[in-house]
Amino acid sequence: MHELGVLNSMVHTIERIVKEQNVTEVSKLVIEVGELSGIVPRYLEQSWPAASYKTFMEKTELELIVIPGIVKCKGCGRVFNAVYSDLSCPDCGSSDMEILEGDDMIIKEILCC
Amino acid sequence: MKDFKVLEIKTSVFADNNLQAGKLREELKEKKVFLLNLMSSPGAGKTTTLVRTINGLKDDLKIGVMEADIDSDVDARTISQTGAKAIQLHTGGMCHLDAQMTRQGLEGLDPDGLDLVILENVGNLVCPAEFDTGAVKNAMILSVPEGDDKPLKYPLMFSICDVVLINKMDVLPYFNFDLEKCKENIRLRNPNAIIIPISALKKEGIKEWTDWLHNAVKSWCE
Ligand SMILES: Nc1nc2c(ncn2[C@@H]2O[C@H](COP(=O)(O)OP(=O)(O)O)[C@@H](O)[C@H]2O)c(=O)[nH]1
Ligand SMILES: [Mg+2]
Ligand SMILES: [Zn+2]
């Protein structure tokens, strides 16, 4: 279960951050998930109860924002959504592209009490 | 009403693991131990390649192996027969190892006195790419039957690898696999990757690989 491992890692990252801020309760997390991150938002939602079980975030709500996978073709310069173009340029067919956005999973906001 | 606080942080979810991995690498540098993370799809030939690698280097280097590929000790036993120190890591069904699990594995192996430790990661091209294990170098094996377009489908894996071994070259005549096209696809994802075609079964190309590894270990342990 890929998403479960990712969430476990995230729980550790957040644990460290909130400790530094002297916070003990987190009511909500806002997470950005890129379409090119290889992480599936639906699986994140399904895994969250298991990942947060018996941690300080057991009651924390998880909000996901999907970031489109935007790339720039290195052949012709066209900027497009890689997911809808099957990973090749709709103009020149090249597979050589630079990722501009959407290859990461980022903790955007932590809402605490 | 309770005080409400919003921390705007914009940190990668992998931040903590990356931090742990960096720490582990520093400690390995101090101990003069080189950790190699070996990844591939299931059955691409990690264990077979490992055995060839150990046999090629065991006169020059003290080698240890951490097996995480499957929850059985079959692979660890195969490796033990080469004389290398080997342990089986039980990943409990996890699809990758993170830096913390790698550290625990190393403690179990006790790497003092070893020059090279090879981690056979879980067979999978997605998750292990996202988790820095703390290894000094990453290598992956792509086998001919998997197809020459694999680098296009798994961009992250290829972008983080220092070396790509193209294994099972002995079966090339039976597959629609274009070696030059494959190299080109790998370079699209990672222009710096070192690409070495091998046949672990027929022991071909192994020397070029072990020479590269030997040099990498030497410069790390200097
Ligand atoms: N034809 C051929 N088969 C190979 C080669 N390397 C490994 N194999 C076979 O592929 C299968 C899986 O190999 P193994 O090393 O266990 O892969 P792992 O799952 O990545 O550790 C075994 O049946 C090996 O004998 C090779 O170079 N050529
Ligand atoms: Mg194996
Ligand atoms: Zn184009």
Side-chain angles (χ1 to χ4, degrees):
Chain A
M1 258 304 256
H2 181 41
E3 279 70 15
L4 187 57
V6 170
L7 288 173
N8 281 336
S9 179
M10 183 184 81
V11 169
H12 288 136
T13 300
I14 293 173
E15 205 163 18
R16 182 172 48 81
I17 294 167
V18 299
K19 243 182 222 155
E20 285 166 9
Q21 303 279 339
N22 285 318
V23 169
T24 48
E25 251 188 81
V26 176
S27 56
K28 185 173 163 182
L29 291 175
V30 183
I31 309 293
E32 293 181 345
V33 192
E35 281 180 332
L36 300 173
S37 66
I39 299 161
V40 183
R42 192 161 49 90
Y43 294 162
L44 284 177
E45 279 164 5
Q46 287 171 2
S47 313
W48 179 237
S52 59
Y53 180 64
K54 292 207 169 157
T55 73
F56 68 104
M57 290 199 288
E58 211 165 20
K59 294 200 174 71
T60 304
E61 184 194 338
L62 185 69
E63 181 185 325
L64 303 176
I65 300 172
V66 177
I67 305 296
I70 304 296
V71 299
K72 183 177 177 181
C73 174
K74 285 191 190 167
C76 70
R78 162 117 184 216
V79 173
F80 58 98
N81 184 312
V83 179
Y84 298 119
S85 320
D86 203 20
L87 298 176
S88 63
C89 176
D91 280 352
C92 71
S94 168
S95 302
D96 191 4
M97 50 205 169
E98 178 193 351
I99 297 176
L100 300 180
E101 200 179 53
D103 61 341
D104 210 339
M105 177 168 158
I106 305 262
I107 304 161
K108 187 166 179 266
E109 287 174 14
I110 303 174
L111 281 70
C112 330
C113 302
Chain B
M1 197 176 140
K2 268 197 207 167
D3 244 359
F4 214 68
K5 194 161 139 190
V6 178
L7 309 177
E8 292 225 27
I9 48 170
K10 287 261 175 193
T11 315
S12 167
V13 293
F14 304 108
D16 196 63
N17 185 59
N18 292 342
L19 206 78
Q20 300 281 348
K23 258 194 234 159
L24 183 56
R25 238 183 321 272
E26 271 171 34
E27 290 169 30
L28 289 169
K29 179 83 190 166
E30 236 160 71
K31 287 188 185 156
K32 296 182 191 271
V33 175
F34 185 101
L35 177 64
L36 177 80
N37 177 22
L38 183 62
M39 296 170 286
S40 83
S41 302
K46 292 183 295 303
T47 306
T48 313
T49 304
L50 258 175
V51 170
R52 304 299 182 220
T53 307
I54 295 164
N55 285 332
L57 291 173
K58 67 181 174 192
D59 293 338
D60 302 307
L61 301 172
K62 294 234 176 325
I63 305 174
V65 171
M66 299 193 288
E67 270 301 333
D69 195 14
I70 38 163
D71 267 36
S72 103
D73 63 356
V74 177
D75 282 0
R77 243 185 283 155
T78 312
I79 299 294
S80 295
Q81 285 160 2
T82 63
K85 200 169 173 182
I87 58 164
Q88 181 76 43
L89 305 182
H90 292 275
T91 54
M94 282 294 266
C95 52
H96 65 275
L97 287 186
D98 62 16
Q100 192 56 36
M101 294 187 262
T102 307
R103 173 186 293 281
Q104 285 166 3
L106 279 168
E107 279 163 9
L109 185 69
D110 186 15
D112 285 343
L114 297 178
D115 306 304
L116 167 64
V117 175
I118 304 176
L119 167 65
E120 179 172 343
N121 211 318
V122 185
N124 166 344
L125 292 184
V126 182
C127 325
E130 272 159 358
F131 287 87
D132 188 343
T133 55
V136 182
K137 297 280 181 193
N138 292 315
M140 76 153 294
I141 301 176
L142 167 67
S143 63
V144 167
E146 294 171 70
D148 52 29
D149 59 348
K150 209 126 200 201
L152 300 177
K153 295 182 191 149
Y154 298 88
L156 184 62
M157 173 55 81
F158 286 86
S159 71
I160 61 146
C161 277
D162 302 284
V163 179
V164 179
L165 301 174
I166 303 179
N167 189 31
K168 309 197 184 179
M169 286 301 288
D170 54 294
V171 299
L172 191 66
Y174 313 108
F175 285 89
N176 187 8
F177 185 99
D178 183 337
L179 183 60
E180 285 316 307
K181 185 84 200 150
C182 185
K183 287 182 177 175
E184 210 179 283
N185 288 339
I186 293 169
R187 292 207 185 94
L188 284 178
R189 297 292 165 243
N190 183 351
N192 302 316
I194 292 169
I195 304 168
I196 308 174
I198 64 168
S199 165
L201 189 72
K202 309 264 184 211
K203 307 185 193 179
E204 283 160 10
I206 301 295
K207 177 94 171 68
E208 189 185 346
W209 154 240
T210 51
D211 281 350
W212 178 87
L213 185 56
H214 196 180
N215 278 328
V217 173
K218 269 198 278 186
S219 54
W220 178 253
C221 299
E222 245 159 31

